[in-house]
Every structure is written in structure tokens, then in C-alpha cells.
Amino acid sequence: MLTINNDKVYASLADGQYIILNFVSGSYYSLNVASTAVLQDLLDGASEANIVSALNAAYPSSDAAVPVRSFIERLLGLEIVCQDDVAASGQAVNCSALKAEDVLELVVDEFNDVADLLMMDPIHEVKNDAGWPNRQ
């Protein structure tokens, strides 16, 4: 089963989409509706096979196996999630609720445009007379 890598990231579900902040690198990530559903099902213990099956039912013209595997590998590669010792066997409840008009595009958008601000120490690395976010 996959879990959020709490040693490196903070993840929050806001308005039906995950926002994830890597507090080691300063990067932040955004997931679309389908990606959020897949991630939530993974975190809830759904197996990869059950997620693929649910997505194939929701998107009959698509084969979800490759996109799901690629998505999981990207999450692991970015260290957003980590594998634990519990076997995943649950159902894909969130993926089953997706509608065909929702695009089956499993993406993790990465942004690092404010990484320097997020990684700045607001006590020791700011100008005394100007304050945060003005670096010394």
C-alpha cells in the first residue's frame, strides 16, 4: 500500500484536488481531478488492479493500465508517496465515481517558481529592515 511520504511532503485535499508541498526541495505539486481520485484510492488501500478496472469502466475507450503504472512511478520518483508493508486490496471508490467527461489524464504538475521563498529561513536569512521575503 502507498502512503504519503510525511518525512518530505505535506499533502492536502482542497476543493477536490491535491496540493502537495515538498518541504525538502521547495517544489509544490498539483493534481487534476482524475489524478486526485487515483491518489486517494491508493492512499485508501485500493490495489493498482482495482484502480485500473474502475478507470476502464469509467473510460471505456481507454486502457488505464499504462497511465496508472506511470502515475504511480512518478509519485514514487518524486518521493510524494512511499511503499509500506501492508498489501493493497481495497476497492477503487473514488475512481469509480469519475465520469467519462472527466479527462483520463493522470498528471502531477510540478512547480518550483517559489522554491527559494519556501526554503528561506524567515529568521536568519531576511533583511532586518525589509523583512520576509527579502533575502539578505
Side-chain angles (χ1 to χ4, degrees), residues 59-136:
Y59 302 94
S61 63
S62 299
D63 181 6
V66 172
V68 169
R69 171 72 351 228
S70 297
F71 178 70
I72 292 171
E73 288 174 1
R74 177 127 166 94
L75 292 173
L76 288 166
L78 292 170
E79 298 182 291
I80 292 171
V81 297
C82 50
Q83 191 82 37
D84 67 12
D85 295 333
V86 178
S89 61
Q91 295 302 309
V93 175
N94 295 293
C95 290
S96 297
L98 289 171
K99 299 170 187 70
E101 61 266 12
D102 295 326
V103 176
L104 179 57
E105 184 178 12
L106 303 178
V107 295
V108 180
D109 290 321
E110 180 177 10
F111 306 93
N112 34 25
D113 52 332
V114 294
D116 57 335
L117 293 178
L118 292 173
M119 301 306 297
M120 187 187 312
D121 178 347
I123 307 251
H124 301 101
E125 296 179 4
V126 298
K127 293 181 181 177
N128 291 336
D129 58 340
W132 190 86
N134 299 299
R135 188 179 287 272
Q136 289 182 353

Side-chain angles (χ1 to χ4, degrees), residues 9-66:
V9 301
Y10 170 78
S12 179
L13 193 57
D15 294 327
Q17 292 184 302
Y18 264 103
I19 304 297
I20 302 163
L21 171 65
N22 182 320
F23 45 81
V24 175
S25 70
S27 295
Y28 63 98
Y29 311 93
S30 176
L31 306 181
N32 64 9
V33 173
S35 300
T36 294
V38 171
L39 177 57
Q40 191 60 54
D41 280 341
L42 289 167
L43 297 175
D44 289 345
S47 69
E48 184 175 339
N50 286 344
I51 290 171
V52 168
S53 179
L55 290 174
N56 285 340
Y59 302 94
S61 63
S62 299
D63 181 6
V66 172

